[in-house]
Each structure stands twice: as C-alpha cells, then as structure tokens.
Amino acid sequence: STKVASGRLVNNGKSNLTSLSVSKGMALEDFIVAQKTLVNSVANSENVIAACQAYAADKTFDEGIRKNLMAQLEQIEADSGNLYENFFVTVGSEGFADCLGNTTLHDVSEEDMYIDCMSQGYRFGNAVAVGSGLPVFEIAYAIYDDNDDVIGVVDMSIDLATMSQQIITDENYDIKLFTPEGVVIASPDTESILNIDMTELDPDSWQYIVSTGTGYTEFTDPYT
C-alpha cells in the first residue's frame, strides 16, 4: 500500500510539474510577444518618425516631441512596475529620449544593437547591460522612413530579475526558465540568471530534455 501510494505521489508530482512548466513557458512567450509589440508600436508612431525625419533633414532635435516622448516612456516604465533597465529612442544613431529622464542618451553607432538594426531591422536576445551590469533581454526595432531607410531605433532592455518576479513567482515551487541553449533566463534567485548553463552543469540531462521535448531530471543548483 505504501509503495502504491508513493508511486501515485510521484506520478502526481510529475504531472503537476509538467503542467507548471508548460504554463510558465507559455507565459514567457506571451510576455515577450507583448513587449515586441510595444517596441514595434513606438517605432511606427507618427511623432517618433517625424522626429527622426527632422533630424535626418537638418540635424536638429524637435524638443517638443522629445519632451513628450520622454514622458511617454517614463509612464510606460512606471506602469510596468519598473520592468525596464532602459527603454530609449534614437534619431539616427543619436540618443533622443529614454524612460530615465533622458539621463542615458548617447551615440549608439558602434553598438551591436544599432548595427543589427541597420542590417536586418531588429535585434532580440539576452545581454548584460553596459551601464548597470544587469542581465537583460533586449528588443530593438529600426525606425524607417517612406523610402525604407533606417532613420533611428527603438531599444528596450527588460530587467530579467524584475521579469522573473512578474512571471514565475510561486508559493510552492522554485521555478527556472531556460533558453533552448540551456541558460537560465528567469529565476527567483536572481544571481543565477544568465549564469547557470545546463550544458555545463549537467549536459547529459539537458541533452535528454532537448531531444525528448519533455523530461524529468535532477541537478544540484550551484546557488541554492
């Protein structure tokens, strides 16, 4: 009887963990899609395009648009629960407005984000923020004029620690979300974000999960 009961508990536990994993994975996907939509909407807004066109024409900033855009980005940041490490717009490669009182504006012409936007129109991926050193997920879109020339960029850096609090907080479970490459992208213990790599920590278990699509594994968390 004890053996049967134990087996049922294990099976129920596995079923619960599977359901939880799927739901949190979908929550992350939905979250990223929503953030991409937000960045894209800013990149295609009339006032942003107008500011970029004005700068392309005579290298002057439209201070009215700049002030209003800064206020808009600050409000987005406040409404998000301070989700963003930064959220900014450039005209050309020059910083134009950000969500931090326009305190981080600089030329981005030599940054990978800008180079990618110039060549392919976007950039998505994990990174360590240059200014703060925080682990972030970066979403950037190019701003185009009527001739499909790039005239600026919109860049959002999501603070992965804050994102973790919003997506994976759970009273009963310690949840980690990984990239397909095995790197932690969300975790309640923030020091593990972008630092735990399952391909190094337990490559056999990770390869099993990747190859089967769904699996159960045990590993020793190096932080907890």
Side-chain angles (χ1 to χ4, degrees):
S1 297
T2 302
K3 184 177 181 179
V4 170
S6 176
R8 287 175 177 171
L9 284 173
V10 170
N11 288 333
N12 287 339
K14 288 182 177 180
S15 178
N16 290 339
L17 288 174
T18 300
S19 298
L20 186 63
S21 298
V22 171
S23 66
K24 294 301 182 180
M26 292 178 64
L28 176 61
E29 291 180 1
D30 291 343
F31 173 86
I32 295 299
V33 167
Q35 298 304 312
K36 286 181 177 179
T37 300
L38 174 58
V39 177
N40 201 28
S41 69
V42 174
N44 286 285
S45 63
E46 292 183 1
N47 61 333
V48 169
I49 293 174
C52 291
Q53 289 175 326
Y55 182 79
D58 54 21
K59 303 302 180 184
T60 59
F61 292 115
D62 187 315
E63 292 299 336
I65 294 178
R66 188 181 208 175
K67 182 179 179 180
N68 290 336
L69 183 57
M70 180 191 73
Q72 178 186 350
L73 295 175
E74 287 180 330
Q75 189 61 55
I76 292 173
E77 166 73 341
D79 292 342
S80 73
N82 297 319
L83 174 65
Y84 309 113
E85 188 272 341
N86 204 350
F87 191 174
F88 65 88
V89 176
T90 75
V91 291
S93 63
E94 293 290 333
F96 181 69
D98 66 28
C99 68
L100 301 171
N102 287 352
T103 58
T104 69
L105 304 179
H106 61 282
D107 184 271
V108 299
S109 57
E110 296 184 0
E111 296 184 11
D112 291 340
M113 174 276 298
Y114 183 74
I115 294 170
D116 285 351
C117 284
M118 288 292 292
S119 62
Q120 61 188 24
Y122 62 89
R123 178 182 174 86
F124 313 133
N126 303 316
V128 175
V130 175
S132 65
L134 294 174
V136 297
F137 186 84
E138 188 174 36
I139 300 172
Y141 281 107
I143 303 168
Y144 294 96
D145 63 12
D146 293 338
N147 298 318
D148 287 333
D149 292 324
V150 178
I151 53 176
V153 298
V154 180
D155 184 278
M156 168 194 287
S157 293
I158 300 167
D159 182 345
L160 290 178
T162 303
M163 184 192 76
S164 297
Q165 294 173 0
Q166 296 185 7
I167 292 181
I168 64 171
T169 299
D170 190 279
E171 295 181 358
N172 300 313
Y173 296 96
D174 182 335
I175 301 167
K176 287 180 174 61
L177 300 181
F178 296 82
T179 68
E181 293 75 30
V183 177
V184 171
I185 192 175
S187 174
D189 50 297
T190 56
E191 65 270 23
S192 69
I193 298 173
L194 300 190
N195 287 319
I196 289 182
D197 185 342
M198 286 297 290
T199 63
E200 297 177 357
L201 184 65
D202 193 340
D204 291 339
S205 295
W206 185 253
Q207 182 57 43
Y208 170 74
I209 292 176
V210 170
S211 63
T212 60
T214 301
Y216 309 96
T217 187
E218 298 178 4
F219 69 95
T220 301
D221 190 307
Y223 291 95
T224 61

